[in-house]
Amino acid sequence: MSTLAVRSLARSTRTAALRQRGAPLSTLSRSAARQTSFQSRTILAATNQASRAFSTTMIPKSDAMAAPAASQEFDKEIVDMASYATNYKVNSDLAIDTARFVFLDTLGCGLKALEFPQCTKLLGPVVPGTIVPNGTRVPGTPYILDPVLGAFNIGSQIRWLDFNDCWLAAEWGHPSDNLGAILSVADWVNRTNKSGSAEKLAGGKIFTVKDVLEYMVKAHEIQGVMALENSFNKVGLDHVVLVKLASTSVVANMLGLSEAQTRDAISQAWVDGQSMRTYRHSPNTMSRKSWAAGDACQKAVDLCLKVMKGEGGMPTVLTAPTWGFYDVNFKGAKFAFQREYGSYVMENVLFKVSYPAEFHSQTAIEAAQRLNKKLKEMGKTAEDIEEVTNRTHEACIRIIDKQFKPMDNYADRDHCVQYMVAVMFVFNRLVASDYPDSSEAAQSPLVESLRQKIKCVEDPAFTKDYHDPSKRTISNALTVRLKDGTTLEEVVVEAPLGHRLRREEAKPEILSKYLNHLKPHFSEGHVKKLVDLGNSPEELYKTEVDTYMDMYVTDKVGPQ
């Protein structure tokens, strides 16, 4: 019986039943009752038959694995990412050596974050005391977690202070955030494969630190190349969408997924709900901005594991009319690409060396520090300043120009160029402990008064250089006018310490920073062991990840 016939018969039966509703059973003839019963049985049989036919058509009998779609069915943007993640061989010595410095700096910043209770309260297992067999270690803690939660923990602690590498373009962000996913998965895979378990992950692969550095190069490249021409912040999306994308791409390869499965995983990352920038801007600035990257790492690992278990993908997740990413989240525009994927981003990445501050402000703070020397020579202090003008680039104004906005919390202060410059003028320093509500700087009436005297004005030439691939400078220029009418000569800083143009100058400072971040957590002898290993590329590169991670295990969370 056809579906239409079944529906017609059902309607007839319902109509007949409604006509008889409320009538005593005795008023129905036995023949009518028998006919009604026969029709009901006929409908039930036909419905069951139709349901069986539908079920056998829609559900594969073989297994729960999704058949991989051909590459030509996928959006080209996804095809290119999956091909790069799967097939590209990193052969740039400069990229690998730069990745080594990023690796050490990132781990050090993660340890420093453990000094802040707002960070540590989010770390550890969901159920206190849980220990996962062959689980991921979280540096500076005793935690042993599954790789999904491990990615959140590591990703959150390394991003918390906003004090390691950075990438600035049409979109900005911190490619080292991807280390949360990469390190978590590498550690878990190694321990599982060494445990004697019958089920080997990634074909039994044992990852070394060199492998991690190569995956970092790829993650940096995917996130950074996407950021060159595509502004997610202008449509209200947070840059951690690119962390999720890059981490998904490389973790898929780490887990041994095929190129087709990698396309599936990438499509899942694009369709996944994307974080808005709400938590980065007044009046809703809050600490979520510090764990947003950890959240992106967590989701990336989770999505890859789902695909590894047979979940499929969505070939036109970007371009599908009405329901695709472009129409829903990108105002109908399509991604633009300045260059093919290679190792450009890692080779040109920016390091935060001097100050734990949002990167667009780094050169402004350095300019203020230079001006302090001039003020001291004149016998003047911050109290003598009447006005400061910051000639800057457009991105600085859009993100951290908050001259008159209230500073309600840590997240407000470390993303306000006026606050950071004012702290430098008043105390001749800017450190992570200058941001909490209880800090000397946050409670200083002079800092608050001076903050509101600092105005930003855009210089189109600075904005142009900011986007120029051959320069990529982040210029700020400060002019100070004193209360006695004296105007100091403008101080211009185009490239911060840690920029490619000042990389060699920065390397000793990066290692010194790493050393200082290790000291509160380990004995003098152990600190020397870690620093010596970090300074010995050949030894570091061949060290297996689980062995290396064991060197960061502590008995308690935070300084020992």
Side-chain angles (χ1 to χ4, degrees), residues 365-382 385 421-429 450 480 488 491:
I365 300 164
E366 185 172 343
Q369 194 164 33
R370 294 182 187 182
L371 282 163
N372 270 348
K373 295 180 180 178
K374 180 64 175 176
L375 288 171
K376 185 176 181 180
E377 292 172 0
M378 299 171 63
K380 303 290 185 179
T381 69
I385 296 175
V421 169
V423 171
M424 177 54 71
F425 275 129
V426 173
F427 297 106
N428 199 38
R429 66 160 195 258
L450 183 56
V480 172
L488 277 61
V491 172

PDB file of all heavy atoms in Angstrom, residues 365-382 385 421-429 450 480 488 491:
ATOM      1  N   ILE A 365      53.787  51.403  25.370  1.00  0.00           N
ATOM      2  CA  ILE A 365      54.359  51.259  26.717  1.00  0.00           C
ATOM      3  C   ILE A 365      55.867  51.461  26.670  1.00  0.00           C
ATOM      4  O   ILE A 365      56.459  52.112  27.550  1.00  0.00           O
ATOM      5  CB  ILE A 365      54.004  49.871  27.292  1.00  0.00           C
ATOM      6  CG1 ILE A 365      52.482  49.706  27.378  1.00  0.00           C
ATOM      7  CG2 ILE A 365      54.634  49.687  28.664  1.00  0.00           C
ATOM      8  CD1 ILE A 365      52.032  48.281  27.555  1.00  0.00           C
ATOM      9  N   GLU A 366      56.514  50.929  25.630  1.00  0.00           N
ATOM     10  CA  GLU A 366      57.955  51.138  25.489  1.00  0.00           C
ATOM     11  C   GLU A 366      58.275  52.625  25.297  1.00  0.00           C
ATOM     12  O   GLU A 366      59.257  53.147  25.853  1.00  0.00           O
ATOM     13  CB  GLU A 366      58.497  50.333  24.310  1.00  0.00           C
ATOM     14  CG  GLU A 366      60.005  50.405  24.183  1.00  0.00           C
ATOM     15  CD  GLU A 366      60.568  49.462  23.127  1.00  0.00           C
ATOM     16  OE1 GLU A 366      59.860  48.513  22.710  1.00  0.00           O
ATOM     17  OE2 GLU A 366      61.737  49.678  22.721  1.00  0.00           O
ATOM     18  N   ALA A 367      57.438  53.321  24.523  1.00  0.00           N
ATOM     19  CA  ALA A 367      57.634  54.763  24.334  1.00  0.00           C
ATOM     20  C   ALA A 367      57.500  55.504  25.665  1.00  0.00           C
ATOM     21  O   ALA A 367      58.265  56.443  25.961  1.00  0.00           O
ATOM     22  CB  ALA A 367      56.627  55.297  23.327  1.00  0.00           C
ATOM     23  N   ALA A 368      56.528  55.109  26.487  1.00  0.00           N
ATOM     24  CA  ALA A 368      56.353  55.740  27.807  1.00  0.00           C
ATOM     25  C   ALA A 368      57.565  55.495  28.691  1.00  0.00           C
ATOM     26  O   ALA A 368      58.000  56.387  29.443  1.00  0.00           O
ATOM     27  CB  ALA A 368      55.086  55.195  28.470  1.00  0.00           C
ATOM     28  N   GLN A 369      58.131  54.289  28.603  1.00  0.00           N
ATOM     29  CA  GLN A 369      59.307  53.987  29.410  1.00  0.00           C
ATOM     30  C   GLN A 369      60.502  54.860  28.991  1.00  0.00           C
ATOM     31  O   GLN A 369      61.270  55.327  29.839  1.00  0.00           O
ATOM     32  CB  GLN A 369      59.661  52.508  29.278  1.00  0.00           C
ATOM     33  CG  GLN A 369      60.654  52.011  30.309  1.00  0.00           C
ATOM     34  CD  GLN A 369      60.694  50.501  30.400  1.00  0.00           C
ATOM     35  OE1 GLN A 369      60.500  49.790  29.411  1.00  0.00           O
ATOM     36  NE2 GLN A 369      60.939  49.973  31.587  1.00  0.00           N
ATOM     37  N   ARG A 370      60.619  55.087  27.693  1.00  0.00           N
ATOM     38  CA  ARG A 370      61.691  55.968  27.218  1.00  0.00           C
ATOM     39  C   ARG A 370      61.455  57.417  27.679  1.00  0.00           C
ATOM     40  O   ARG A 370      62.394  58.125  28.053  1.00  0.00           O
ATOM     41  CB  ARG A 370      61.772  55.916  25.686  1.00  0.00           C
ATOM     42  CG  ARG A 370      62.207  54.567  25.137  1.00  0.00           C
ATOM     43  CD  ARG A 370      62.316  54.619  23.614  1.00  0.00           C
ATOM     44  NE  ARG A 370      62.560  53.306  23.042  1.00  0.00           N
ATOM     45  CZ  ARG A 370      62.726  53.079  21.733  1.00  0.00           C
ATOM     46  NH1 ARG A 370      62.669  54.108  20.882  1.00  0.00           N
ATOM     47  NH2 ARG A 370      62.937  51.855  21.291  1.00  0.00           N
ATOM     48  N   LEU A 371      60.203  57.852  27.637  1.00  0.00           N
ATOM     49  CA  LEU A 371      59.871  59.211  28.068  1.00  0.00           C
ATOM     50  C   LEU A 371      60.113  59.410  29.559  1.00  0.00           C
ATOM     51  O   LEU A 371      60.433  60.525  30.009  1.00  0.00           O
ATOM     52  CB  LEU A 371      58.416  59.535  27.714  1.00  0.00           C
ATOM     53  CG  LEU A 371      58.174  59.885  26.237  1.00  0.00           C
ATOM     54  CD1 LEU A 371      56.695  59.775  25.892  1.00  0.00           C
ATOM     55  CD2 LEU A 371      58.700  61.303  25.941  1.00  0.00           C
ATOM     56  N   ASN A 372      59.966  58.356  30.331  1.00  0.00           N
ATOM     57  CA  ASN A 372      60.235  58.462  31.770  1.00  0.00           C
ATOM     58  C   ASN A 372      61.680  58.887  32.040  1.00  0.00           C
ATOM     59  O   ASN A 372      61.965  59.609  33.009  1.00  0.00           O
ATOM     60  CB  ASN A 372      59.948  57.126  32.465  1.00  0.00           C
ATOM     61  CG  ASN A 372      58.510  57.036  32.950  1.00  0.00           C
ATOM     62  OD1 ASN A 372      57.787  58.032  32.966  1.00  0.00           O
ATOM     63  ND2 ASN A 372      58.090  55.844  33.342  1.00  0.00           N
ATOM     64  N   LYS A 373      62.593  58.418  31.194  1.00  0.00           N
ATOM     65  CA  LYS A 373      63.994  58.810  31.358  1.00  0.00           C
ATOM     66  C   LYS A 373      64.156  60.312  31.139  1.00  0.00           C
ATOM     67  O   LYS A 373      64.893  60.984  31.864  1.00  0.00           O
ATOM     68  CB  LYS A 373      64.873  58.025  30.391  1.00  0.00           C
ATOM     69  CG  LYS A 373      64.907  56.529  30.663  1.00  0.00           C
ATOM     70  CD  LYS A 373      65.795  55.797  29.656  1.00  0.00           C
ATOM     71  CE  LYS A 373      65.812  54.289  29.934  1.00  0.00           C
ATOM     72  NZ  LYS A 373      66.641  53.566  28.926  1.00  0.00           N
ATOM     73  N   LYS A 374      63.453  60.816  30.122  1.00  0.00           N
ATOM     74  CA  LYS A 374      63.508  62.245  29.844  1.00  0.00           C
ATOM     75  C   LYS A 374      62.900  63.055  30.993  1.00  0.00           C
ATOM     76  O   LYS A 374      63.445  64.087  31.420  1.00  0.00           O
ATOM     77  CB  LYS A 374      62.773  62.546  28.539  1.00  0.00           C
ATOM     78  CG  LYS A 374      62.760  64.013  28.141  1.00  0.00           C
ATOM     79  CD  LYS A 374      64.164  64.531  27.849  1.00  0.00           C
ATOM     80  CE  LYS A 374      64.133  65.952  27.333  1.00  0.00           C
ATOM     81  NZ  LYS A 374      65.492  66.508  27.134  1.00  0.00           N
ATOM     82  N   LEU A 375      61.763  62.574  31.504  1.00  0.00           N
ATOM     83  CA  LEU A 375      61.113  63.261  32.628  1.00  0.00           C
ATOM     84  C   LEU A 375      62.029  63.292  33.846  1.00  0.00           C
ATOM     85  O   LEU A 375      62.133  64.321  34.547  1.00  0.00           O
ATOM     86  CB  LEU A 375      59.791  62.569  32.983  1.00  0.00           C
ATOM     87  CG  LEU A 375      58.642  62.741  31.994  1.00  0.00           C
ATOM     88  CD1 LEU A 375      57.486  61.816  32.359  1.00  0.00           C
ATOM     89  CD2 LEU A 375      58.160  64.200  31.969  1.00  0.00           C
ATOM     90  N   LYS A 376      62.721  62.197  34.096  1.00  0.00           N
ATOM     91  CA  LYS A 376      63.623  62.137  35.251  1.00  0.00           C
ATOM     92  C   LYS A 376      64.762  63.132  35.098  1.00  0.00           C
ATOM     93  O   LYS A 376      65.162  63.806  36.071  1.00  0.00           O
ATOM     94  CB  LYS A 376      64.163  60.718  35.399  1.00  0.00           C
ATOM     95  CG  LYS A 376      65.007  60.521  36.652  1.00  0.00           C
ATOM     96  CD  LYS A 376      65.427  59.064  36.804  1.00  0.00           C
ATOM     97  CE  LYS A 376      66.252  58.875  38.072  1.00  0.00           C
ATOM     98  NZ  LYS A 376      66.686  57.455  38.239  1.00  0.00           N
ATOM     99  N   GLU A 377      65.290  63.227  33.866  1.00  0.00           N
ATOM    100  CA  GLU A 377      66.362  64.191  33.603  1.00  0.00           C
ATOM    101  C   GLU A 377      65.898  65.613  33.853  1.00  0.00           C
ATOM    102  O   GLU A 377      66.683  66.475  34.279  1.00  0.00           O
ATOM    103  CB  GLU A 377      66.853  64.054  32.159  1.00  0.00           C
ATOM    104  CG  GLU A 377      67.585  62.753  31.871  1.00  0.00           C
ATOM    105  CD  GLU A 377      67.873  62.588  30.386  1.00  0.00           C
ATOM    106  OE1 GLU A 377      67.507  63.490  29.601  1.00  0.00           O
ATOM    107  OE2 GLU A 377      68.468  61.560  30.009  1.00  0.00           O
ATOM    108  N   MET A 378      64.619  65.893  33.602  1.00  0.00           N
ATOM    109  CA  MET A 378      64.056  67.226  33.789  1.00  0.00           C
ATOM    110  C   MET A 378      63.607  67.478  35.222  1.00  0.00           C
ATOM    111  O   MET A 378      63.165  68.584  35.565  1.00  0.00           O
ATOM    112  CB  MET A 378      62.863  67.421  32.845  1.00  0.00           C
ATOM    113  CG  MET A 378      63.202  67.320  31.371  1.00  0.00           C
ATOM    114  SD  MET A 378      61.707  67.300  30.344  1.00  0.00           S
ATOM    115  CE  MET A 378      61.002  68.928  30.698  1.00  0.00           C
ATOM    116  N   GLY A 379      63.680  66.449  36.068  1.00  0.00           N
ATOM    117  CA  GLY A 379      63.195  66.587  37.437  1.00  0.00           C
ATOM    118  C   GLY A 379      61.683  66.562  37.511  1.00  0.00           C
ATOM    119  O   GLY A 379      61.089  67.078  38.470  1.00  0.00           O
ATOM    120  N   LYS A 380      61.049  65.956  36.533  1.00  0.00           N
ATOM    121  CA  LYS A 380      59.592  65.871  36.463  1.00  0.00           C
ATOM    122  C   LYS A 380      59.126  64.431  36.706  1.00  0.00           C
ATOM    123  O   LYS A 380      59.894  63.478  36.601  1.00  0.00           O
ATOM    124  CB  LYS A 380      59.086  66.342  35.104  1.00  0.00           C
ATOM    125  CG  LYS A 380      59.503  67.749  34.711  1.00  0.00           C
ATOM    126  CD  LYS A 380      58.796  68.802  35.551  1.00  0.00           C
ATOM    127  CE  LYS A 380      59.116  70.205  35.063  1.00  0.00           C
ATOM    128  NZ  LYS A 380      58.422  71.263  35.845  1.00  0.00           N
ATOM    129  N   THR A 381      57.827  64.306  37.037  1.00  0.00           N
ATOM    130  CA  THR A 381      57.212  62.987  37.244  1.00  0.00           C
ATOM    131  C   THR A 381      55.863  62.941  36.538  1.00  0.00           C
ATOM    132  O   THR A 381      55.432  63.915  35.907  1.00  0.00           O
ATOM    133  CB  THR A 381      56.999  62.711  38.746  1.00  0.00           C
ATOM    134  OG1 THR A 381      55.977  63.593  39.236  1.00  0.00           O
ATOM    135  CG2 THR A 381      58.286  62.898  39.529  1.00  0.00           C
ATOM    136  N   ALA A 382      55.184  61.828  36.685  1.00  0.00           N
ATOM    137  CA  ALA A 382      53.859  61.664  36.084  1.00  0.00           C
ATOM    138  C   ALA A 382      52.879  62.715  36.586  1.00  0.00           C
ATOM    139  O   ALA A 382      51.930  63.085  35.877  1.00  0.00           O
ATOM    140  CB  ALA A 382      53.320  60.264  36.375  1.00  0.00           C
ATOM    141  N   ILE A 385      52.330  65.768  34.280  1.00  0.00           N
ATOM    142  CA  ILE A 385      51.795  65.585  32.931  1.00  0.00           C
ATOM    143  C   ILE A 385      50.389  66.173  32.829  1.00  0.00           C
ATOM    144  O   ILE A 385      49.506  65.849  33.633  1.00  0.00           O
ATOM    145  CB  ILE A 385      51.777  64.096  32.539  1.00  0.00           C
ATOM    146  CG1 ILE A 385      53.206  63.542  32.468  1.00  0.00           C
ATOM    147  CG2 ILE A 385      51.071  63.897  31.195  1.00  0.00           C
ATOM    148  CD1 ILE A 385      53.286  62.045  32.201  1.00  0.00           C
ATOM    149  N   VAL A 421      49.723  52.522  29.708  1.00  0.00           N
ATOM    150  CA  VAL A 421      50.679  53.619  29.557  1.00  0.00           C
ATOM    151  C   VAL A 421      50.757  54.447  30.844  1.00  0.00           C
ATOM    152  O   VAL A 421      51.849  54.848  31.292  1.00  0.00           O
ATOM    153  CB  VAL A 421      50.294  54.507  28.349  1.00  0.00           C
ATOM    154  CG1 VAL A 421      51.104  55.799  28.342  1.00  0.00           C
ATOM    155  CG2 VAL A 421      50.521  53.743  27.044  1.00  0.00           C
ATOM    156  N   ALA A 422      49.609  54.669  31.470  1.00  0.00           N
ATOM    157  CA  ALA A 422      49.589  55.437  32.718  1.00  0.00           C
ATOM    158  C   ALA A 422      50.371  54.734  33.817  1.00  0.00           C
ATOM    159  O   ALA A 422      51.117  55.370  34.578  1.00  0.00           O
ATOM    160  CB  ALA A 422      48.142  55.683  33.156  1.00  0.00           C
ATOM    161  N   VAL A 423      50.214  53.423  33.926  1.00  0.00           N
ATOM    162  CA  VAL A 423      50.958  52.661  34.936  1.00  0.00           C
ATOM    163  C   VAL A 423      52.461  52.800  34.699  1.00  0.00           C
ATOM    164  O   VAL A 423      53.246  52.984  35.644  1.00  0.00           O
ATOM    165  CB  VAL A 423      50.533  51.186  34.932  1.00  0.00           C
ATOM    166  CG1 VAL A 423      51.452  50.344  35.827  1.00  0.00           C
ATOM    167  CG2 VAL A 423      49.087  51.044  35.405  1.00  0.00           C
ATOM    168  N   MET A 424      52.874  52.738  33.433  1.00  0.00           N
ATOM    169  CA  MET A 424      54.293  52.892  33.125  1.00  0.00           C
ATOM    170  C   MET A 424      54.785  54.273  33.536  1.00  0.00           C
ATOM    171  O   MET A 424      55.862  54.417  34.141  1.00  0.00           O
ATOM    172  CB  MET A 424      54.536  52.647  31.635  1.00  0.00           C
ATOM    173  CG  MET A 424      56.002  52.850  31.207  1.00  0.00           C
ATOM    174  SD  MET A 424      57.194  51.875  32.166  1.00  0.00           S
ATOM    175  CE  MET A 424      56.834  50.223  31.552  1.00  0.00           C
ATOM    176  N   PHE A 425      54.013  55.310  33.232  1.00  0.00           N
ATOM    177  CA  PHE A 425      54.424  56.665  33.615  1.00  0.00           C
ATOM    178  C   PHE A 425      54.517  56.824  35.136  1.00  0.00           C
ATOM    179  O   PHE A 425      55.447  57.440  35.656  1.00  0.00           O
ATOM    180  CB  PHE A 425      53.442  57.700  33.054  1.00  0.00           C
ATOM    181  CG  PHE A 425      53.728  58.133  31.650  1.00  0.00           C
ATOM    182  CD1 PHE A 425      52.734  58.118  30.684  1.00  0.00           C
ATOM    183  CD2 PHE A 425      54.985  58.584  31.288  1.00  0.00           C
ATOM    184  CE1 PHE A 425      52.989  58.530  29.381  1.00  0.00           C
ATOM    185  CE2 PHE A 425      55.264  59.009  29.996  1.00  0.00           C
ATOM    186  CZ  PHE A 425      54.257  58.977  29.038  1.00  0.00           C
ATOM    187  N   VAL A 426      53.570  56.248  35.858  1.00  0.00           N
ATOM    188  CA  VAL A 426      53.512  56.453  37.312  1.00  0.00           C
ATOM    189  C   VAL A 426      54.539  55.603  38.048  1.00  0.00           C
ATOM    190  O   VAL A 426      55.230  56.078  38.967  1.00  0.00           O
ATOM    191  CB  VAL A 426      52.093  56.166  37.840  1.00  0.00           C
ATOM    192  CG1 VAL A 426      52.063  56.220  39.373  1.00  0.00           C
ATOM    193  CG2 VAL A 426      51.094  57.167  37.258  1.00  0.00           C
ATOM    194  N   PHE A 427      54.673  54.313  37.670  1.00  0.00           N
ATOM    195  CA  PHE A 427      55.509  53.386  38.433  1.00  0.00           C
ATOM    196  C   PHE A 427      56.777  52.938  37.697  1.00  0.00           C
ATOM    197  O   PHE A 427      57.592  52.209  38.267  1.00  0.00           O
ATOM    198  CB  PHE A 427      54.693  52.138  38.822  1.00  0.00           C
ATOM    199  CG  PHE A 427      53.531  52.435  39.729  1.00  0.00           C
ATOM    200  CD1 PHE A 427      52.229  52.412  39.251  1.00  0.00           C
ATOM    201  CD2 PHE A 427      53.747  52.765  41.067  1.00  0.00           C
ATOM    202  CE1 PHE A 427      51.151  52.688  40.084  1.00  0.00           C
ATOM    203  CE2 PHE A 427      52.676  53.039  41.911  1.00  0.00           C
ATOM    204  CZ  PHE A 427      51.379  53.007  41.419  1.00  0.00           C
ATOM    205  N   ASN A 428      56.905  53.357  36.422  1.00  0.00           N
ATOM    206  CA  ASN A 428      58.034  52.937  35.584  1.00  0.00           C
ATOM    207  C   ASN A 428      58.133  51.413  35.505  1.00  0.00           C
ATOM    208  O   ASN A 428      59.219  50.823  35.529  1.00  0.00           O
ATOM    209  CB  ASN A 428      59.358  53.512  36.103  1.00  0.00           C
ATOM    210  CG  ASN A 428      60.435  53.489  35.017  1.00  0.00           C
ATOM    211  OD1 ASN A 428      60.140  53.738  33.847  1.00  0.00           O
ATOM    212  ND2 ASN A 428      61.667  53.194  35.401  1.00  0.00           N
ATOM    213  N   ARG A 429      56.978  50.785  35.379  1.00  0.00           N
ATOM    214  CA  ARG A 429      56.913  49.317  35.243  1.00  0.00           C
ATOM    215  C   ARG A 429      55.544  48.972  34.695  1.00  0.00           C
ATOM    216  O   ARG A 429      54.604  49.770  34.738  1.00  0.00           O
ATOM    217  CB  ARG A 429      57.122  48.613  36.584  1.00  0.00           C
ATOM    218  CG  ARG A 429      55.981  48.891  37.567  1.00  0.00           C
ATOM    219  CD  ARG A 429      55.877  47.895  38.698  1.00  0.00           C
ATOM    220  NE  ARG A 429      54.586  48.011  39.359  1.00  0.00           N
ATOM    221  CZ  ARG A 429      54.362  48.620  40.527  1.00  0.00           C
ATOM    222  NH1 ARG A 429      55.370  49.179  41.189  1.00  0.00           N
ATOM    223  NH2 ARG A 429      53.138  48.675  41.036  1.00  0.00           N
ATOM    224  N   LEU A 450      45.575  60.161  35.226  1.00  0.00           N
ATOM    225  CA  LEU A 450      46.409  60.235  34.028  1.00  0.00           C
ATOM    226  C   LEU A 450      45.794  59.439  32.879  1.00  0.00           C
ATOM    227  O   LEU A 450      45.889  59.850  31.711  1.00  0.00           O
ATOM    228  CB  LEU A 450      47.817  59.720  34.359  1.00  0.00           C
ATOM    229  CG  LEU A 450      48.852  59.800  33.231  1.00  0.00           C
ATOM    230  CD1 LEU A 450      48.975  61.228  32.704  1.00  0.00           C
ATOM    231  CD2 LEU A 450      50.210  59.292  33.735  1.00  0.00           C
ATOM    232  N   VAL A 480      54.033  64.141  24.962  1.00  0.00           N
ATOM    233  CA  VAL A 480      53.660  64.529  26.324  1.00  0.00           C
ATOM    234  C   VAL A 480      53.701  66.057  26.450  1.00  0.00           C
ATOM    235  O   VAL A 480      54.707  66.698  26.115  1.00  0.00           O
ATOM    236  CB  VAL A 480      54.601  63.900  27.362  1.00  0.00           C
ATOM    237  CG1 VAL A 480      54.316  64.464  28.757  1.00  0.00           C
ATOM    238  CG2 VAL A 480      54.439  62.382  27.358  1.00  0.00           C
ATOM    239  N   LEU A 488      57.199  67.749  25.273  1.00  0.00           N
ATOM    240  CA  LEU A 488      58.370  66.912  25.022  1.00  0.00           C
ATOM    241  C   LEU A 488      58.359  66.416  23.574  1.00  0.00           C
ATOM    242  O   LEU A 488      57.291  66.263  22.973  1.00  0.00           O
ATOM    243  CB  LEU A 488      58.395  65.711  25.969  1.00  0.00           C
ATOM    244  CG  LEU A 488      58.988  65.949  27.372  1.00  0.00           C
ATOM    245  CD1 LEU A 488      58.204  67.003  28.145  1.00  0.00           C
ATOM    246  CD2 LEU A 488      59.021  64.641  28.166  1.00  0.00           C
ATOM    247  N   VAL A 491      58.072  60.555  20.932  1.00  0.00           N
ATOM    248  CA  VAL A 491      58.847  59.311  20.895  1.00  0.00           C
ATOM    249  C   VAL A 491      58.062  58.286  20.101  1.00  0.00           C
ATOM    250  O   VAL A 491      56.919  57.965  20.448  1.00  0.00           O
ATOM    251  CB  VAL A 491      59.140  58.783  22.318  1.00  0.00           C
ATOM    252  CG1 VAL A 491      59.781  57.401  22.241  1.00  0.00           C
ATOM    253  CG2 VAL A 491      60.038  59.759  23.064  1.00  0.00           C
TER     254      VAL A 491
END
